[in-house]
Amino acid sequence: MNPFSELGLADTFEVDVKALEKTHRDLSRALHPDRYVQAPAGERRVALERAVRVNEAFRAVKDPLSRAEALFALRGTPIGDGKEPKPDPDFLMDVLESREALSDAKGEKNAAAVAKLKAAAEANHERVLAALGAVFAKPEKPDESAVKLLGKLRFFRRFLEEVSDVEDDLDAT
Amino acid sequence: MAYSDKVIQHTENPKNVGTLDKEDPNVGTGLVGAPACGDVMRLQIKVGDGGVIEDAKFKTFGCGSAIASSSLATEWLRGKTLDQAEAIKNSDIVEELDLPPVKIHCSVLAEDAIKSAIADYRQKQGKKQADNKA
């Protein structure tokens, strides 16, 4: 499925989230089962199936990670398990050290240290998004270095998920 | 997703979590990551004089299957020679832990970590020999 064309959008990495949400709302309204109460069963089913696809496409385009994955697929660069280059050792070392620091901060209930790690990861996350934006702004098929950016995005994403678990933990105590 | 009993045992009570001195010439460190899921794994071996692995430690930030795979790997590594260690296949881990297809990549990561730790150790030893000769 091409989630962009499903929503009638151009396949770009830059997305106006407000406009995307409006498109989704409008399409969902147009495809709402209430509008098809009088329609023949076949038409009703088609509208329902389309509504499901529209929801999937909306989620895929809204999240920058799945949006990037969709763009790699559309441009013919293979991604996914076993198809992506191994991360650089230095990068892995940074990831591991941040994860250890986060785990220490959690153990010490050090909210300030958690906040600092979070800010650094958010900045890295933003930087990778900007770099991916530059990749997709060009018409060429993204190369291996672009796929490495996608991997980095997932590492930062995982880290930030862990941060929010730790924050919940610290709030609860 | 349902984990197998063995995965749960290793996750709740992981064996050999920790760190060895990565500057020690007898320690090999493998650092690997799975870009498709964001897991990261460090596996270290300490090799004794007879070329036998005396100690193995790991630290894994990832899902239960990744933790279990690396925990099992360190258990298996102790007492093995480097050649025996190198022969460990991800499919052995899959079988022992009863990993489902979606979690096979965790065992691949563990095998990569073993190989990368051995390679690091051998590189250090080669360097030591070269230094001695010089």
Side-chain angles (χ1 to χ4, degrees), chain A residues 4-37:
Chain A
F4 299 95
S5 64
E6 196 67 54
L7 299 167
L9 300 172
D11 47 352
T12 56
F13 190 64
E14 305 303 327
V15 164
D16 178 346
V17 175
K18 280 227 162 69
L20 173 70
E21 282 170 346
K22 184 174 185 312
T23 303
H24 177 237
R25 241 185 348 261
D26 291 349
L27 280 169
S28 301
R29 206 169 286 149
L31 294 165
H32 197 278
D34 285 356
R35 290 182 177 261
Y36 289 83
V37 177

Side-chain angles (χ1 to χ4, degrees), chain A residues 81 84-87 92-93 95-96 99-100 151 154-155 158, chain B residues 31-39 42 59 61-62 105 112:
Chain A
D81 211 9
E84 298 186 19
K86 285 184 182 169
L92 284 177
M93 187 67 90
V95 172
L96 195 92
R99 296 289 294 248
E100 282 181 325
R154 297 202 197 90
F155 282 106
R158 279 293 297 274
Chain B
L31 186 57
V32 294
C37 64
D39 286 357
R42 182 184 60 211
K59 192 84 182 262
F61 294 97
H105 70 273
D112 266 3

